[in-house]
Amino acid sequence: KFLLKKPNGAPASPRQTNPRMEGAGAQTKADQRPVLEEDTFEILYEMSRIMNCGLDRQTLSILISLCESGVNPEALASVVKELRRETAALSMESQDDADEKR
């Protein structure tokens, strides 16, 4: 949902489609929805950045899509935390192995 496209398939841009930038009534509600979704995504991304969540835009988009599909957000957060722990542990193991080979 957050990989936004304009009706003609081109990527949406807030400067091109934002109803606040154009005359009132120039767009239908269907045309405005991608702009609202893009604005919402940008707010969520900024909040995630401020809270140092360590999520890039693509990862955040995937997580939001999973939540919208009905995945339990708390369970999803637990999985993300576990994957980060496992990644850190594997990274430390590979660094230890590299140090032993020297």
Side-chain angles (χ1 to χ4, degrees):
K1 259 187 172 177
F2 286 100
L3 301 175
L4 301 176
K5 303 268 184 205
K6 291 195 297 186
N8 66 3
S13 165
R15 300 269 186 258
Q16 294 171 339
T17 60
N18 194 329
R20 293 174 287 196
M21 303 256 179
E22 298 180 13
Q27 294 181 332
T28 66
K29 286 186 180 185
D31 292 337
Q32 292 175 0
R33 185 167 183 199
V35 173
L36 295 175
E37 288 177 356
E38 186 172 325
D39 288 347
T40 301
F41 179 79
E42 290 303 317
I43 290 168
L44 291 172
Y45 177 71
E46 187 64 21
M47 289 172 59
S48 129
R49 196 183 63 71
I50 289 169
M51 293 187 290
N52 295 318
C53 294
L55 300 173
D56 59 28
R57 289 176 188 272
Q58 181 180 12
T59 304
L60 181 61
S61 178
I62 291 167
L63 294 173
I64 291 169
S65 294
L66 287 168
C67 289
E68 288 176 340
S69 298
V71 174
N72 181 322
E74 291 179 18
L76 191 54
S78 294
V79 169
V80 170
K81 288 178 186 177
E82 183 62 26
L83 287 171
R84 285 182 174 173
R85 277 193 289 271
E86 289 292 322
T87 301
L90 288 172
S91 178
M92 291 183 82
E93 279 182 28
S94 66
Q95 190 173 17
D96 289 344
D97 289 345
D99 290 343
E100 288 177 6
K101 289 181 182 179
R102 289 184 197 173

